[in-house]
Short mmCIF file of all heavy atoms in Angstrom, two decimals:
data_model
loop_
_atom_site.label_atom_id
_atom_site.label_comp_id
_atom_site.label_asym_id
_atom_site.label_seq_id
_atom_site.Cartn_x
_atom_site.Cartn_y
_atom_site.Cartn_z
N MET A 1 10.55 4.97 23.10
CA MET A 1 10.00 4.76 21.78
C MET A 1 10.11 3.31 21.41
O MET A 1 10.95 2.60 21.87
CB MET A 1 10.77 5.59 20.79
CG MET A 1 10.54 5.17 19.37
SD MET A 1 11.39 6.24 18.25
CE MET A 1 12.87 5.40 18.03
N SER A 2 9.28 2.92 20.58
CA SER A 2 9.46 1.62 20.00
C SER A 2 9.38 1.80 18.52
O SER A 2 9.11 2.85 18.03
CB SER A 2 8.37 0.70 20.41
OG SER A 2 8.32 0.63 21.76
N CYS A 93 0.83 0.47 24.81
CA CYS A 93 1.70 1.38 25.58
C CYS A 93 0.90 1.91 26.76
O CYS A 93 -0.32 2.09 26.66
CB CYS A 93 2.13 2.58 24.74
SG CYS A 93 3.08 2.13 23.30
N ASN A 95 1.60 4.90 28.20
CA ASN A 95 1.50 6.37 28.06
C ASN A 95 1.78 6.76 26.62
O ASN A 95 2.45 6.04 25.89
CB ASN A 95 2.55 7.06 28.95
CG ASN A 95 2.35 6.71 30.40
OD1 ASN A 95 1.36 7.08 31.01
ND2 ASN A 95 3.28 5.96 30.96
N ILE A 96 1.29 7.92 26.27
CA ILE A 96 1.52 8.41 24.92
C ILE A 96 2.78 9.30 24.89
O ILE A 96 2.96 10.16 25.74
CB ILE A 96 0.29 9.20 24.38
CG1 ILE A 96 0.50 9.62 22.94
CG2 ILE A 96 0.00 10.41 25.23
CD1 ILE A 96 0.29 8.51 21.97
N CYS A 97 3.62 9.08 23.94
CA CYS A 97 4.73 9.99 23.68
C CYS A 97 4.29 10.84 22.48
O CYS A 97 3.88 10.28 21.46
CB CYS A 97 6.00 9.22 23.32
SG CYS A 97 6.40 7.91 24.48
N TYR A 99 5.67 12.50 20.14
CA TYR A 99 6.34 12.42 18.84
C TYR A 99 5.98 11.14 18.08
O TYR A 99 6.32 10.95 16.92
CB TYR A 99 7.87 12.46 19.02
CG TYR A 99 8.38 11.35 19.90
CD1 TYR A 99 8.61 10.08 19.38
CD2 TYR A 99 8.58 11.55 21.27
CE1 TYR A 99 9.04 9.05 20.19
CE2 TYR A 99 9.01 10.52 22.08
CZ TYR A 99 9.23 9.27 21.54
OH TYR A 99 9.64 8.24 22.34
N CYS A 100 5.26 10.24 18.75
CA CYS A 100 5.15 8.87 18.25
C CYS A 100 4.47 8.76 16.89
O CYS A 100 3.45 9.37 16.61
CB CYS A 100 4.35 8.04 19.26
SG CYS A 100 4.25 6.30 18.76
N CYS A 102 4.35 5.40 15.73
CA CYS A 102 4.23 3.93 15.68
C CYS A 102 2.76 3.51 15.68
O CYS A 102 1.88 4.28 16.05
CB CYS A 102 4.91 3.31 16.89
SG CYS A 102 6.65 3.72 17.01
N LYS A 104 0.34 1.96 17.65
CA LYS A 104 0.23 1.55 19.05
C LYS A 104 -1.16 1.86 19.59
O LYS A 104 -1.93 2.62 19.00
CB LYS A 104 1.30 2.24 19.93
CG LYS A 104 0.98 3.68 20.34
CD LYS A 104 1.17 4.64 19.22
CE LYS A 104 0.85 6.05 19.60
NZ LYS A 104 0.92 6.95 18.44
N GLY A 144 7.32 -2.63 19.15
CA GLY A 144 5.96 -2.17 19.46
C GLY A 144 5.72 -0.76 18.99
O GLY A 144 6.42 -0.28 18.12
N GLY A 145 4.73 -0.10 19.65
CA GLY A 145 4.26 -0.31 20.99
C GLY A 145 5.39 -0.51 22.01
O GLY A 145 6.50 -0.07 21.84
N THR A 146 5.02 -1.22 23.05
CA THR A 146 5.95 -1.50 24.13
C THR A 146 5.94 -2.99 24.43
O THR A 146 5.00 -3.48 25.09
CB THR A 146 5.53 -0.72 25.39
OG1 THR A 146 5.37 0.66 25.07
CG2 THR A 146 6.57 -0.85 26.50
N ASP A 181 11.10 0.09 26.87
CA ASP A 181 10.75 1.40 27.40
C ASP A 181 11.29 1.41 28.84
O ASP A 181 10.78 0.66 29.69
CB ASP A 181 9.22 1.58 27.39
CG ASP A 181 8.80 2.91 27.96
OD1 ASP A 181 9.59 3.52 28.72
OD2 ASP A 181 7.66 3.34 27.69
N ARG A 183 10.88 2.98 31.35
CA ARG A 183 9.94 3.26 32.45
C ARG A 183 9.15 2.02 32.83
O ARG A 183 8.40 2.03 33.80
CB ARG A 183 8.99 4.38 32.03
CG ARG A 183 9.70 5.66 31.64
CD ARG A 183 8.77 6.63 30.92
NE ARG A 183 8.25 6.06 29.69
CZ ARG A 183 7.36 6.64 28.90
NH1 ARG A 183 6.88 7.82 29.24
NH2 ARG A 183 6.95 6.06 27.80
N ARG A 218 7.62 12.41 27.80
CA ARG A 218 8.36 11.18 28.10
C ARG A 218 9.46 11.51 29.10
O ARG A 218 10.54 11.94 28.73
CB ARG A 218 8.95 10.60 26.82
CG ARG A 218 9.66 9.29 27.10
CD ARG A 218 9.66 8.38 25.92
NE ARG A 218 10.41 7.18 26.20
CZ ARG A 218 10.18 6.01 25.64
NH1 ARG A 218 9.21 5.88 24.79
NH2 ARG A 218 10.90 4.97 25.93
S1 SF4 B 1 3.76 5.93 22.51
FE1 SF4 B 1 5.89 6.04 23.19
S2 SF4 B 1 6.34 4.01 24.02
FE2 SF4 B 1 4.48 3.82 22.78
S3 SF4 B 1 5.21 3.20 20.74
FE3 SF4 B 1 5.02 5.41 20.75
S4 SF4 B 1 7.08 6.12 21.27
FE4 SF4 B 1 7.00 3.95 21.86
#
Side-chain angles (χ1 to χ4, degrees):
M1 164 176 94
S2 304
C93 298
N95 300 293
I96 184 77
C97 310
Y99 58 82
C100 183
C102 301
K104 80 285 179 185
T146 308
D181 178 339
R183 302 166 299 176
R218 183 152 177 151

